Amino acid sequence: MSAATVTVQCAVAVDQAYTYLVRDGMELAPGDIVAVPLGPREALGCVWDEPAGPVDARKLRPVSARLDVPPLNKRLMEFVDWVARYTLAERGMVLKMVLRAPDVLAAEKPVTGVVWHGEVPERITPARKRVLEHLAEQAVWPKSALADVSGVSPGVVDGLIDAGVLERTDLTMKPVIAQPDPEHASAGLNADQAAAAGKLAERVRTGTFGVALLDGVTGSGKTEVYFEAIAEALRCGRQVLVLLPEIALTQDFLDRFARRFGAPPGEWHSGVSGRAQARVWRGVACGEVRVVAGARSALFLPFADLGLIVVDEEHDPAFKQEDRASYHARDMAVKRGHIGDFAIILSSATPSVESRANADAGRYAHVHLPERFGGAAMPDIGLIDMREGGPERGRFLAPKLVEAIAQACDVGQQSLVFLNRRGYAPLTLCRRCGFRFECPNCTAWLVEHRFRHRLVCHHCGYERPVPPACPNCQATDSLVACGPGVERIAEELAEFFPDQRIAVLSSDLIPGIRAMRALLEEIAAGRVDIVIGTQLVAKGHNFPLMSVVGVVDADVALQSADPRAAERTYQIVSQVVGRAGRDGTPARAFIQTYVPDNPVLQAIVAGDREAFYARELEVRKRAGMPPFGRLGALIVSGRERQGVQAYARALKGAAPRIGEGEILGPAEAPIAMIRGRYRMRLLVRTARHVDLSGLVRGWLAAAPPPTGGIRVQVDIDPVSFL
Ligand code: ADP
Ligand code: ZN
């Protein structure tokens, strides 16, 4: 008789499912979560719907246990499979993202309680007497607590249970999950909003796959509008996922959701405690949690019946994950909708060029909100040509901008100064000998963080104190800071405005999510006059009193070699500018630049988004770049430069023939070393219709296997080119 077997995909870096024995009495079906022996350890896995390969039955080991968690459904398993194939991550690593709620798998510890119905035991001891005294006051107790207060051993309580005096009961807390109510408090939408909401709700109602791009300027009410689509999904009895690029900062979103639906959504991101994550995980799996708002990793939650995904700020690069499994949550969300056959909404004031092209081509429905809500105007935007209107040497804010901030302060309004650079100065050098502080592990300058008196590498986290003298020539007082970071801008503003309340919004200066949320509330409430911020401030916040925005250096991103430099600049500058004037007060924005004729900046100033997209699409089309072509990056890294170079060349040698397209490189990566590893990049560009993942998989299989600690990282649809 042949023993029963199953195939199990383990949640570790392997691509295929392994075969295991099933012990008598254990019932297993595809989707079940199990513990299995793997080498010397136990691993988590999922029973996979795959025929067992040929195996030696004598070597098979049995499944250790079936975990008490809801099984994964078929659609989610298909999604895991697809993501693995597309990104070239091992299927087990993608499964790991599904199973990663830390405490889920350790089922919640049951709490045993006891109830007393008034019976008295035949035999009364002093210990039993003390227990009964407490029971006389309160008839239901957690068992251990009853023993504790009575000062007896748990055995005494057990004895009373055995004697039939006490009855056992389960006191495990089952949290009551407040259900969002679609009819709770819907906003009175204006005509444009109502039309947009109607279109989105209709798409949700049909219950089939389709993507809508909700495209409207900052402050046009996109959130209010997609709330109506969420309401519709709830009415249809289905679950909803809202992906946000920076959930840690979106208390505002949770509050708004609760006002609209009478209950907050489930929250999912790295700042949520393990226990709370476990509740959300189980809650979505059994269908009790109806809506989740989360970071990109929420995409892998095991929803029982997902009926809508909203990707808010869909253009945001934070949706791209670049560790082991490198995926873009927006694109994967579209695929999850495709597999599950439900609606997707991508929302943005500055849609990605990809999404915009899909809308233009009719692949996505284009739902447009043309104006700000309540007649609020967009800020009046002007460029400051730093070649003529710049500040004196050693300063970074043009007089015109400082003047505007002063005027805002005079009338009690707020100003926002944006610079996407943490720290005090991006480079520190010795005036005497020219020595520059460089990271020992990376090809990068150390960034001075003056508030903390440290020099820090932004790539690997290496830090050292600022030394009193130059480490090279021992000169004292010779170190100078070159260029500005937000801390230096704060210093400059404090000199101009000693009496104003100034806050710096930069991730490294704020100890945690809570502090960050508190600071954002302070700002929104008007208890800060001038805000200096990194890209954190560009994301979706509502600051009603903000009436002046200054962009310190619009050229930072423009000058990078990144093929998306123009798009990034357009998005981030538009988003920052869009923070101002949201309550209807006339607002002004100032963009400092050395290239005022740049067409991207010109399009922003003219408020001509169509000009930007038309031009950018044309540029991409001519170059065969996404979305007209496809890109994949292969990053070869290792401890020794020569080995890395040799392997990268060998990899190039094994490359397949690309019809329409090319393979660029290998070239040293712009950051040639990170964490002590040398890096070379190859970039492959193909036509749009090519199965790029398949092509790269075949390529790697044909290449000699890397040795000597060399790694090849694959990044399909890369977003970063560093
Ligand atoms: P977006 O997401 O497009 O930037 P929001 O949805 O955040 O816009 O709306 C901007 C502001 O206008 C918010 O304070 C919001 O509460 C308000 N608002 C938008 N639409 C309405 C409406 N129909 N009724 C009341 N307030 C609205
Ligand atoms: Zn470093």
Side-chain angles (χ1 to χ4, degrees):
M1 194 185 88
S2 76
T5 59
V6 283
T7 51
V8 173
Q9 174 65 54
C10 294
V12 298
V14 296
D15 232 342
Q16 72 275 44
Y18 299 138
T19 305
Y20 287 90
L21 285 173
V22 184
R23 285 209 188 89
D24 282 351
M26 192 184 277
E27 296 272 334
L28 290 175
D32 281 342
I33 310 299
V34 292
V36 291
L38 187 69
R41 288 171 301 131
E42 283 267 296
L44 269 183
C46 176
V47 177
W48 218 253
D49 203 358
E50 229 166 47
V55 283
D56 179 351
R58 283 163 308 181
K59 287 201 186 138
L60 284 184
R61 296 203 273 170
V63 171
S64 316
R66 178 186 174 284
L67 277 72
D68 177 26
V69 283
L72 306 188
N73 65 39
K74 227 178 140 91
R75 294 180 303 274
L76 181 52
M77 291 165 71
E78 193 183 325
F79 181 59
V80 167
D81 218 21
W82 190 88
V83 172
R85 246 178 302 134
Y86 187 84
T87 63
L88 275 80
E90 295 92 352
R91 189 165 68 186
M93 291 311 286
V94 181
L95 178 63
K96 193 171 171 184
M97 297 196 283
V98 174
L99 298 181
R100 75 188 212 163
D103 297 339
V104 153
L105 307 151
E108 242 168 289
K109 266 219 186 96
V111 180
T112 314
V114 291
V115 196
W116 187 46
H117 300 296
E119 266 174 74
V120 180
E122 287 172 9
R123 193 168 63 85
I124 295 269
T125 62
R128 284 186 166 185
K129 191 156 170 265
R130 285 204 299 280
V131 174
L132 289 172
E133 276 165 16
H134 285 99
L135 285 164
E137 274 168 30
Q138 177 183 320
V140 182
W141 283 88
K143 199 179 107 184
S144 55
L146 179 61
D148 281 351
V149 293
S150 313
V152 303
S153 74
V156 176
V157 180
D158 284 330
L160 288 168
I161 295 170
D162 293 343
V165 174
L166 294 180
E167 191 192 340
R168 240 182 249 278
T169 180
D170 182 9
L171 291 182
T172 313
M173 285 285 287
K174 298 271 187 315
V176 180
I177 296 169
Q179 294 299 332
D181 170 8
E183 322 308 337
H184 180 75
S186 90
L189 300 181
N190 67 28
D192 285 333
Q193 292 176 334
K199 280 185 213 158
L200 295 179
E202 173 62 29
R203 301 178 69 83
V204 171
R205 216 167 19 245
T206 59
T208 54
F209 171 67
V211 184
L213 176 62
L214 175 57
D215 177 0
V217 293
T218 49
S220 55
K222 293 184 294 298
T223 315
E224 304 294 338
V225 167
Y226 74 65
F227 275 174
E228 295 317 301
I230 294 176
E232 193 61 24
L234 290 173
R235 284 185 204 111
C236 297
R238 308 194 67 183
Q239 291 170 297
V240 179
L241 168 63
V242 183
L243 292 177
L244 300 162
E246 197 85 48
I247 181 94
L249 307 174
T250 34
Q251 187 59 43
D252 183 47
F253 176 85
L254 302 175
D255 294 345
R256 276 177 80 174
F257 187 94
R259 282 200 297 277
R260 168 64 184 82
F261 293 99
E267 200 179 338
W268 181 272
H269 53 83
S270 56
V272 172
S273 76
R275 205 131 194 248
Q277 282 194 1
R279 294 220 168 113
V280 171
W281 200 96
R282 282 177 177 271
V284 296
C286 69
E288 218 170 286
V289 170
R290 311 301 302 166
V291 182
V292 172
R296 60 184 183 221
S297 58
L299 186 61
F300 292 94
L301 282 171
F303 289 91
D305 184 22
L306 194 52
L308 171 67
I309 301 179
V310 179
V311 184
D312 200 355
E313 311 284 356
E314 66 91 30
H315 64 276
D316 200 300
F319 285 121
K320 176 79 191 226
Q321 166 161 308
E322 274 158 359
D323 334 336
R324 292 218 54 164
S326 124
Y327 67 92
H328 200 300
R330 174 196 61 224
D331 300 346
M332 298 303 113
V334 169
K335 190 63 198 181
R336 194 161 179 186
H338 186 233
I339 291 174
D341 203 18
F342 57 79
I344 304 292
I345 297 173
L346 308 180
S347 174
S348 176
T350 52
S352 62
V353 171
E354 280 86 347
S355 295
R356 176 57 197 248
N358 280 323
D360 287 352
R363 283 187 291 271
Y364 294 177
H366 201 168
V367 179
H368 210 239
L369 285 175
E371 279 166 12
R372 279 193 153 180
F373 175 73
M378 288 301 279
D380 187 19
I381 309 167
L383 295 179
I384 297 179
D385 183 345
M386 294 294 271
R387 294 167 307 184
E388 291 161 8
E392 59 189 91
R393 246 183 100 84
R395 296 204 174 255
F396 304 95
L397 301 174
K400 221 164 136 183
L401 172 57
V402 176
E403 171 69 30
I405 295 172
Q407 286 167 2
C409 290
D410 284 345
V411 294
Q413 285 172 342
Q414 292 173 314
S415 305
L416 172 65
V417 178
F418 169 77
L419 176 63
N420 203 11
R421 217 187 262 138
R422 290 178 284 135
Y424 184 84
L427 167 66
T428 305
L429 59 74
C430 171
R431 192 169 15 209
R432 200 161 141 237
C433 73
F435 175 83
R436 294 161 176 227
F437 285 91
E438 203 178 341
C439 177
N441 314 315
C442 307
T443 318
W445 306 126
L446 293 179
V447 179
E448 182 185 357
H449 286 243
R450 192 162 283 190
F451 293 174
R452 292 194 287 134
H453 304 289
R454 311 285 285 179
L455 292 162
V456 180
C457 172
H458 284 182
H459 300 285
C460 72
Y462 169 88
E463 327 193 333
R464 56 167 295 172
V466 182
C470 171
N472 186 49
C473 72
Q474 276 72 46
T476 48
D477 292 327
S478 71
L479 299 180
V480 285
C482 299
V486 281
E487 293 179 9
R488 195 167 194 179
I489 299 297
E491 183 182 89
E492 189 170 326
L493 282 163
E495 281 171 32
F496 283 119
F497 304 104
D499 301 325
Q500 306 297 329
R501 296 159 298 180
I502 296 178
V504 181
L505 258 181
S506 177
S507 53
D508 59 303
L509 293 175
I510 302 166
I513 291 165
R514 244 173 245 253
M516 181 76 81
R517 285 179 170 171
L519 181 52
L520 287 166
E521 272 168 33
E522 292 281 289
I523 296 169
R527 286 192 284 273
V528 170
D529 303 304
I530 304 171
V531 180
I532 300 123
T534 61
Q535 42 102 22
L536 276 181
V537 300
K539 301 192 185 189
H541 310 294
N542 252 326
F543 301 132
L545 296 172
M546 203 63 85
S547 73
V548 168
V549 168
V551 176
V552 175
D553 187 352
D555 308 342
V556 179
L558 271 182
Q559 285 152 353
S560 81
D562 187 327
R564 289 195 175 81
E567 177 180 2
R568 257 319 102 70
T569 301
Y570 174 75
Q571 287 162 344
I572 201 149
V573 174
S574 305
Q575 293 282 349
V576 171
V577 166
R579 293 308 115 210
R582 287 164 74 101
D583 77 335
T585 325
R588 287 184 292 166
F590 299 87
I591 301 171
Q592 302 192 148
T593 175
Y594 285 89
V595 287
D597 295 332
N598 180 281
V600 175
L601 299 180
Q602 287 294 334
I604 294 172
V605 170
D608 190 352
R609 61 202 319 264
E610 293 311 311
F612 165 73
Y613 285 107
R615 184 172 181 283
E616 188 60 20
L617 283 165
E618 189 50 41
V619 169
R620 302 268 184 105
K621 194 172 200 165
R622 247 184 291 132
M625 293 300 260
F628 302 99
R630 310 199 54 208
L631 288 181
L634 273 62
I635 301 117
V636 180
S637 68
R639 296 264 157 213
E640 268 150 339
R641 186 194 296 265
Q642 280 193 341
V644 172
Q645 280 173 341
Y647 186 75
R649 276 195 298 269
L651 195 55
K652 172 79 171 260
R657 246 178 40 83
I658 310 277
E660 195 185 317
E662 63 196 322
I663 293 177
L664 301 168
E668 193 165 79
I671 305 178
M673 186 166 81
I674 295 184
R675 295 173 200 278
R677 295 181 72 87
Y678 291 96
R679 308 164 74 241
M680 303 280 292
R681 296 183 63 105
L682 289 136
L683 192 65
V684 48
R685 186 174 66 76
T686 69
R688 198 186 136 78
H689 58 82
V690 169
D691 169 14
L692 179 57
S693 305
L695 181 143
V696 172
R697 182 172 290 109
W699 178 1
L700 292 177
T707 53
I710 286 176
R711 267 206 308 264
V712 182
Q713 241 175 297
V714 177
D715 188 358
I716 302 291
D717 309 329
V719 160
S720 161
F721 293 85
L722 293 178

